[in-house]
Amino acid sequence: MPAPPPAPWSVSQDLAALAGRARSLSRGDAGLAGLAAALLRIQPVARELERRAWAPPGGGAEGPALHAWLAELGAAVADAEDLLDDLHRRRLAGPAVSSCLGAALRGPGGKLRRLAERLDCVRGDSERLRLDRRAAGCGVRSPNRVTGAVLAERRVFGRDQVFDDVVGRLVGDGEEICRPVAPVVAVVGHGGMGKTVLAQCVYNDARIQEYFDLRAWICVWDRLDEAELTREILQSTGGADDSFYDDSLEVLQEKLGEMVASKTFFLVLDDVWNDEGKTELENRAVWNKVLAPLSSAAVGSKILVTTRMKLVAEVLNAAYVITLDGLKVADCLLLLKETALSGETMDFPPELLEFGGAIAAKVKGSPLATKVIGEMLRNTRSTRKWRAMMDTEICDNIIISSLQLSYQHLPGHLQRCFAYCSIFPTTWRFNRHKLVKMWIALGFVQPPIEGKMLEDLGYKYFDDLLSRSFFGSANKDHQTYYFLDDLMHILAQRFSARDCMKINEDIPVVIPPTVRHLSVSTDYLPQLKGKYRLGRLRTLLVLRSSSLSSSHFPSKLLAKFKNLRVLDLSESDIAELPETIGQLVHLHYLAFCSMTNKLPKSIYRLQYLEVLPVLLFHDNHPGGACKFATVKSLKTCYGN
């Protein structure tokens, strides 16, 4: 069964900025002032309901109704952006137009009133949703999450080398004499990669038990409170009783220091998350405080951390970081057979082996997804049931269930920036600068704080996603490039399903009306007109086709994309732009690769391209170079 669609992207963080834009444009205009007021009225309601949309489900019809409300809000906000951009463009046209802006507003005036009324109507509909479950929690993670040191698996498939590496780092001689606390070894990996199982095997290994005098295991999860964490460490060592619940942090830390004094102490911090409500310095301060008593432990004491985020390893000053990648297909098959048939593979039927191999290839290296499917097939040799599990959608839904907490834990502005990347091909190598320019053009980057450039803030967004393990990085030919691995690409597609779409070659589709960002191959481009209201699109990424080549963009078709902000042709064969490019008055970002020297004169009417210097000449072919130029400089090069 298909998973229910996710909640629409968060827009509450955009409302105050939109209201500010409306006020700055108003200059006494009642319509704009009314729109600004309506945007501010709905902001607190939107923030509350967006949090609830990601909370654990409360049952009933609230989910679909809430998602429909958020979708309607998103559509209204998009219309407000279009209208304000149009009014701003008129101001940019020059003094003659600006002096007549009052007259110009008489046309949009009716739209402004209707839009403000529409926002107030959406706000009114929210009252029923707010009253339905007033006492509902707003967190995104279950408070019942807990792990323990007891072995849950007999063995760890495909991790023998990693296992020995971790144990060796923990019991080997390290250079920790000068460290104030025990050195940290961090195991980093996506949800479902087997971090906890690996840590359990390490914790119970004979070499670990022999080397350390004292061991403790705590599942951190979402409990980043100094006193609670200290109390749990004491309890895990057997050094706490009920009376400890009344002790202050200072007393608890003193007792922990006494407990580990002069002993080799091994502490496992399982499933550690970054507290997004705190700054990085504040998160560091919490852990420095919690781990301070370990300075009294003997040399050789160690800490093993498991986390989904590289950032956590950095915050904890990990001396060594091990990244758990996906299992090989052969290891997934072994794990599947072990789980489904309890290791009884002596007479494994050849037809099941074929289905098992196909399933192992579809789980994208996820041990958790492999085990879940194995449990669903436990003790059955029915070829019909095994064949059914080859369904890609079943595998993807299981994978998503193990990864979605990572996405839901992100702040709203990072969720949107990450999910947007689903429109790119799975093998795409991301250019950090180019992607940030796209985010800025689409308004995904919030207005910067005083003294910070918009691009610098966009780079921080990117680096935040990188440090939280949503992007991977690699080096080739002395250059760094970034990518989404298979699991992250599946996750991005899942949480952008309402807003983004990628049309592959030879796949007939109906494009949902909620889609605002689209990638399409050149052979499908002419067919878009009959499939979709093109004026809704904000992004169009055109990719070259493997079956045919097209060097031009159909003139009449291009004019239909009237609200486009981002047009990227850099991975297509399109070498000519028609004069109708000048009708894309909202265009902020244009990228192309093989463009001829002659550009249409109408391109110089695109005022946003002149304001934001993001016109990009880009060549991804070997030996190619990237150049950046503003429209003003293009006028100098090519003439008016």
Side-chain angles (χ1 to χ4, degrees), residues 358-568:
I359 293 169
K362 290 179 181 292
V363 296
K364 308 295 184 185
S366 169
L368 180 60
T370 305
K371 285 191 287 187
V372 170
I373 292 176
E375 291 290 346
M376 296 169 72
L377 294 171
R378 181 172 288 280
N379 298 325
T380 179
R381 302 196 178 196
S382 165
T383 55
R384 180 182 60 82
K385 290 184 179 180
W386 278 72
R387 185 186 297 110
M389 288 299 155
M390 292 170 56
D391 187 339
T392 300
E393 190 171 88
I394 291 176
C395 294
D396 285 356
N397 286 341
I398 295 170
I399 290 169
I400 289 164
S401 69
S402 67
L403 297 174
Q404 63 183 357
L405 291 178
S406 297
Y407 179 82
Q408 293 168 4
H409 188 67
L410 283 175
H413 62 279
L414 294 183
Q415 288 181 350
R416 182 168 55 181
C417 289
F418 166 72
Y420 176 75
C421 297
S422 69
I423 67 170
F424 296 93
T426 54
T427 57
W428 193 267
R429 294 182 178 184
F430 289 93
N431 178 300
R432 178 172 175 261
H433 184 69
K434 181 177 176 181
L435 184 59
V436 166
K437 289 289 190 183
M438 288 180 166
W439 290 343
I440 291 173
L442 293 164
F444 289 176
V445 180
Q446 300 302 301
I449 58 177
E450 188 174 350
K452 197 173 186 70
M453 298 292 291
L454 198 62
E455 285 188 17
D456 292 338
L457 194 57
Y459 293 141
K460 184 180 185 303
Y461 285 13
F462 186 94
D463 293 341
D464 285 346
L465 287 169
L466 182 65
S467 68
R468 286 158 177 78
S469 304
F470 285 87
F471 284 112
S473 64
N475 293 302
K476 186 176 182 180
D477 299 329
H478 307 292
Q479 289 188 335
T480 300
Y481 67 90
Y482 305 92
F483 60 89
L484 297 183
D485 63 30
D486 288 343
L487 296 179
M488 286 295 102
H489 205 277
I490 291 172
L491 185 67
Q493 285 182 309
R494 167 64 177 152
F495 286 100
S496 64
R498 291 177 182 268
D499 301 89
C500 299
M501 192 169 194
K502 183 169 55 185
I503 300 180
N504 298 319
E505 297 177 14
D506 303 323
I507 300 179
V509 293
V510 175
I511 303 175
T514 57
V515 169
R516 303 271 177 170
H517 312 281
L518 181 70
S519 65
V520 59
S521 58
T522 50
D523 57 343
Y524 200 92
L525 191 60
Q527 303 176 48
L528 284 179
K529 187 176 179 181
K531 296 281 186 180
Y532 184 71
R533 289 174 55 188
L534 302 180
R536 292 177 179 269
L537 278 185
R538 301 299 184 89
T539 300
L540 181 64
L541 172 63
V542 183
L543 306 170
R544 68 174 55 89
S545 169
S546 60
S547 58
L548 56 87
S549 175
S550 177
S551 63
H552 70 281
F553 201 118
S555 177
K556 291 184 178 179
L557 179 64
L558 184 58
K560 299 290 184 181
F561 298 99
K562 60 180 182 179
N563 286 313
L564 209 61
R565 267 70 170 175
V566 170
L567 176 59
D568 192 328

Side-chain angles (χ1 to χ4, degrees), residues 72 102 111 129 144 155 183 220 250 287 298 329 335 407 420 449 522:
E72 173 61 20
K111 290 184 179 179
L129 292 170
N144 299 319
R155 58 175 293 199
V220 178
E250 289 71 20
W287 285 112
V329 173
L335 178 56
Y407 179 82
Y420 176 75
I449 58 177
T522 50

Side-chain angles (χ1 to χ4, degrees), residues 7-55:
W9 288 349
S10 169
V11 296
S12 62
Q13 69 269 18
D14 301 331
L15 298 177
L18 279 176
R21 288 183 60 196
R23 283 197 302 265
S24 68
L25 284 168
S26 65
R27 297 184 182 177
D29 180 80
L32 282 167
L35 176 61
L39 288 165
L40 292 176
R41 281 195 297 270
I42 205 170
Q43 185 180 32
V45 179
R47 188 180 295 114
E48 175 188 339
L49 293 182
E50 282 172 349
R51 286 198 302 264
R52 183 181 299 177
W54 294 116

